[in-house]
Amino acid sequence: MRLHHFHGVAYFDKPASPSPSSSPPSISSSSLSSSATTPLGALHCLRPLAPKISFPEARKMVVLPEFARVRNAARLLHCTLLQVPASGTTRWNPSPDQIKVLEMLYRGGMRTPNSFQIEQITEELGKYGRIEGKNVFYWFQNHKARERQKQKRAALLTLSTTTTLSSLPAAETKDGLRKKEEASSEDASSRKRRRCRTWGDVHGDVTTTTEVVADCTDDVTLELFPLRPQGKAN
Amino acid sequence: MRLHHFHGVAYFDKPASPSPSSSPPSISSSSLSSSATTPLGALHCLRPLAPKISFPEARKMVVLPEFARVRNAARLLHCTLLQVPASGTTRWNPSPDQIKVLEMLYRGGMRTPNSFQIEQITEELGKYGRIEGKNVFYWFQNHKARERQKQKRAALLTLSTTTTLSSLPAAETKDGLRKKEEASSEDASSRKRRRCRTWGDVHGDVTTTTEVVADCTDDVTLELFPLRPQGKAN
DNA sequence: GCAAATTAATGATTTATTCAAG
DNA sequence: CTTGAATAAATCATTAATTTGC
C-alpha cells in the first residue's frame, strides 16, 4: 500500500541563533558522531524544521520500554527489519499461543513487567511468531487498562441493577462511560500505588544479568519461564 | 458476548469475562512451559501477592523512547551503568547549559522529538554533563505539558480579570485548577492532533535512516522562525 | 458462498495525573 | 514549591469479525 519514502526535504536550519551565551546551541556535528553521517544537514540546525512527515509509517517515533535498549535490542531490531518487507510495519498480530501465554501471565498477577521480564517474555513468545518487546509492553498496558475498565463497567451495571434495577444507562453501545466513576472495583491493593520503577535499571552487566528472575515489579510474584536466573542485583 | 478471536483455536475467550465473577479458572497450562514451576505458588493463586518491591531503585522498568533501541543503545546503557554507582540513580539534574539548549529547541518548535532527534540531542547535551535519552524525552514531555498548563492558567486569569476584574481566584497557591476547564485558551491549532509516530520505525536500515531528520513532530506553529509551513497533513 | 461494507477489538500513541527528589 | 520520573487514562488507527448484498 503505502510506501514510505522520505521526501528528502531540506530543512533549513535554525535561523536564529540562540546566542545563548554559552555556545551550546548547535548540535554541531562535532559530537554527533553522525551516526547518521548527517543526512541533510539537519544536524547543525538544532531545529527540526522539517515539515513533518506525511506518511504515518514513514517515521515512527515512540516511547518504548527500556528493555528495548537492553541487550537483545539487536535481536529485536533484526527481527523488525526483517519484518518490514515492503508494506509498512503492520501492527503486531498476536498468535493464539502468544495470547495464551500473555493472559496466563496476566492472570498470574503480572501487570507491569519490568525490562527483564519483558525481554524474556518477548523471547519466549518469539517462538510463536514475530514479536517485539514493545508489543509485550503495550499488551500489558492495554490489557490492564481494559480489564479495569471492563470491571468498572460491570460494577456499575451491577450496582445500577441492584439499586435501581431499571435505570440502565443504555448508552453502552460501545463504551459509554467516559472516565469518571470510581466505583469500588479494583480488588484491593493496587490503588494509589505508583512507584518509581522503570527505565534503565538493568545495569549489572549483561553478563551478570543472568541471575535471578523473579522480581515482580509490581505485585506479582510469578516466575515466568524457567530461564536464566536474572541478576537480582539489588 | 460473542467469541470470535482466533480462527480455529478454542481456548477460552477473551481475557476478562464480562461478568465480575466468571473467572476462567483453568489456564490450561499447555503451552507455557514451565511457568508452572511456580516459585512460590504464586501462579495458581492468580492474584498478586507480592508485597511490592522495596527498593525504589532496585528495579526500574520504564517506558522509554525508541531511540533506546537504536544503535547507540550501547552508549546509553554504558552511561547508565556508570551512573549507578551505589546509591540509587539520582534523578537527572540538568545543567544550565543543557537547559538552555533544550529550551531553545523547544522554542524552536520541537515538542516531541523522535528517536533520532533524541539520540542526537542526548549526545550533544552529554557534553555538558551526564544525561540519558529518557531525560531528554521526559524533559520535552514535561515541558510541553507544563507550558500548556501555564498558558491555560494565564488565559483563565486573564479572562477572569478582564471580565469580572475583581474575582481573583486567590486559590492559586499551587495549582488550583485540576483538570477541567476548557476555556478558550490554547492559542489555536494544537488541539486534537495526535498522529502515530514512535517506536521502531527506524527500519529502512540504519543507513537509510539517515535521510530525513528534521521533522517537528507536533503542531506548534509558532512563527518564531521563518520555517516551513508545517505540514498540516491532517 | 464470497467480497465489499460495517462494527467490534485491540495494538500503538499521546495526554493528563500523580509521585517524589532536591 | 519546582520539576524529573512514572503511570494511568484517553485516543487514534488498523485489523479481525460479522453482516449484508449479490
Side-chain angles (χ1 to χ4, degrees), chain A residues 149-188:
Chain A
Q149 175 176 282
K150 206 177 294 183
Q151 261 184 284
K152 192 169 291 184
R153 204 158 71 174
L156 283 182
L157 198 63
T158 303
L159 251 179
S160 63
T161 307
T162 314
T163 55
T164 27
L165 191 305
S166 58
S167 57
L168 288 185
E172 285 284 30
T173 312
K174 178 180 299 183
D175 200 23
L177 60 159
R178 260 306 118 81
K179 54 164 43 177
K180 286 186 187 326
E181 290 305 340
E182 191 45 73
S184 55
S185 50
E186 217 65 335
D187 326 84

Side-chain angles (χ1 to χ4, degrees), chain B:
Chain B
M1 5 296 310
R2 52 274 273 192
L3 32 147
H4 28 208
H5 258 185
F6 327 115
H7 9 295
V9 191
Y11 73 104
F12 307 100
D13 48 357
K14 273 101 161 320
S17 22
S19 47
S21 53
S22 63
S23 49
S26 55
I27 286 185
S28 67
S29 54
S30 45
S31 63
L32 267 192
S33 34
S34 49
S35 45
T37 41
T38 313
L40 312 175
L43 285 191
H44 37 331
C45 272
L46 281 195
R47 289 293 288 339
L49 318 172
K52 149 199 261 187
I53 309 312
S54 9
F55 328 138
E57 57 279 310
R59 61 208 66 265
K60 308 295 211 46
M61 191 286 231
V62 161
V63 201
L64 78 147
E66 169 249 23
F67 51 89
R69 81 174 193 199
V70 198
R71 111 169 183 251
N72 45 347
R75 237 160 82 45
L76 293 174
L77 207 162
H78 166 64
C79 196
T80 303
L81 291 177
L82 293 180
Q83 295 320 317
V84 193
S87 59
T89 309
T90 44
R91 76 180 194 179
W92 171 58
N93 200 16
S95 73
D97 282 325
Q98 294 179 321
I99 291 183
K100 209 175 298 179
V101 176
L102 288 169
E103 290 192 336
M104 188 181 77
L105 290 173
Y106 186 86
R107 288 224 296 292
M110 182 174 280
R111 280 231 303 175
T112 310
N114 63 28
S115 21
F116 272 126
Q117 297 176 312
I118 289 181
E119 252 189 277
Q120 310 194 341
I121 296 169
T122 300
E123 221 165 310
E124 177 65 20
L125 297 185
K127 295 198 282 192
Y128 308 122
R130 149 203 184 248
I131 187 171
E132 286 180 80
K134 67 169 188 174
N135 302 132
V136 173
F137 173 75
Y138 282 142
W139 190 88
F140 276 97
Q141 287 273 104
N142 285 319
H143 200 68
K144 174 174 38 169
R146 282 159 184 156
E147 207 60 18
R148 194 182 305 174
Q149 177 177 282
K150 203 177 296 181
Q151 262 185 282
K152 192 169 293 183
R153 205 160 69 175
L156 284 181
L157 198 63
T158 303
L159 251 178
S160 64
T161 306
T162 313
T163 56
T164 27
L165 192 301
S166 59
S167 57
L168 288 185
E172 287 282 30
T173 311
K174 177 183 299 181
D175 201 20
L177 58 159
R178 261 294 120 82
K179 51 160 48 177
K180 282 183 187 338
E181 289 304 341
E182 191 46 71
S184 53
S185 51
E186 219 64 340
D187 327 82
S189 56
S190 71
R191 210 55 191 179
K192 265 315 186 202
R193 194 15 108 251
R194 186 67 68 76
R195 234 276 137 305
C196 61
R197 187 180 308 146
T198 18
W199 287 87
D201 167 19
V202 198
H203 45 270
D205 290 14
V206 186
T207 44
T208 318
T209 32
T210 50
E211 280 296 301
V212 184
V213 175
D215 57 87
C216 46
T217 347
D218 44 6
D219 29 274
V220 186
T221 316
L222 58 154
E223 49 269 70
L224 300 183
F225 312 89
L227 8 140
R228 65 320 166 117
Q230 192 82 346
K232 214 302 185 10
N234 41 358

Side-chain angles (χ1 to χ4, degrees), chain A residues 99-110:
Chain A
I99 291 182
K100 210 175 298 180
V101 176
L102 289 170
E103 290 191 339
M104 188 181 79
L105 291 173
Y106 185 86
R107 288 227 292 293
M110 182 174 281

